[in-house]
Amino acid sequence: PFEVLCERKIKLNNADFSDFSSARFLINDYSISYSPSASTLDPDLLNNNKKIDGLYLGFGNPAFTPGKDTDISGDINSKEAINLMKLQGCNLEDLPDTEIQVKNIEMLFNNPGKTKVYVKENATEGRAKEESPNYKYLLFATHGLLDEENPMESSLAFSYSSRPDEDGLLKAKDVLNIPLNADLVVLSA
């Protein structure tokens, strides 16, 4: 338990660790409470009656830039996202091993019809938002972009899409609006 942790390192005179009389514990300065899960704070998070049809959904090796034949000259969102990533020094490299990873994990489930994998240009932000609530196990094998100043703007990078409501970045604030029912979500790159 955190409350019994010492505030500072203590120099002990004996080897049996029995002299903590001069120790200052976290409980002396901080109020500490525990919650076994978020559902104890918000019972609506418990979705026990929700039937989940899908078993495994994986996204890997997204196509981070539009194809050579794709014209994005009028596509403000996509140009903005690509330029923003370049300004932040994010030259997103392809992740070919993640494609192998998501497909190999799908084979482990050995349950045709209950699993889905999206790779390359099919690994889109829209699919992640739409389909994630229907699966028990989720794997996002892509680049993560951290925004330390605005953590809710931190995101996972998905394939370029010409949809006007997508910029290819699934932001932390967007995830809050997805009714996830997953037992396990894995982020990998």
Side-chain angles (χ1 to χ4, degrees), residues 15 17 30 33 41 70 73 86 97 127 131 137 144 149 157 162 165-166 169 172 174 177-178:
F17 303 102
Y30 300 96
S33 61
L41 301 174
T70 307
S73 58
K86 286 180 184 172
D97 290 341
R127 281 201 173 101
E131 296 195 33
Y137 303 105
E149 289 182 23
S162 59
D165 59 332
E166 286 185 31
L169 299 173
D174 298 332
N177 295 317
I178 301 173

Side-chain angles (χ1 to χ4, degrees), residues 139-161:
L139 172 57
F140 299 100
T142 184
H143 289 291
L145 305 172
L146 176 64
D147 188 332
E148 291 183 34
E149 289 182 23
N150 299 305
M152 295 307 284
E153 294 292 320
S154 296
S155 58
L156 295 176
F158 284 87
S159 293
Y160 161 82
S161 172

Side-chain angles (χ1 to χ4, degrees), residues 9-87:
K9 189 174 182 178
I10 298 171
K11 185 174 181 179
L12 298 172
N13 296 328
N14 55 11
D16 69 358
F17 303 102
S18 63
D19 185 18
F20 279 89
S21 60
S22 64
R24 186 130 182 93
F25 297 97
L26 290 179
I27 194 73
N28 297 118
D29 297 317
Y30 300 96
S31 175
I32 297 174
S33 61
Y34 292 91
S35 179
S37 72
S39 62
T40 61
L41 301 174
D42 185 357
D44 291 336
L45 292 174
L46 283 175
N47 224 351
N48 294 336
N49 298 328
K50 176 78 173 164
K51 185 175 186 293
I52 301 172
D53 292 327
L55 193 55
Y56 166 76
L57 178 64
F59 294 88
N61 195 22
F64 297 117
T65 55
K68 292 181 176 107
D69 299 330
T70 307
D71 177 24
I72 63 164
S73 58
D75 187 353
I76 307 258
N77 283 339
S78 297
K79 285 194 302 190
E80 218 172 75
I82 291 168
N83 289 334
L84 180 62
M85 284 187 251
K86 286 180 184 172
L87 282 174

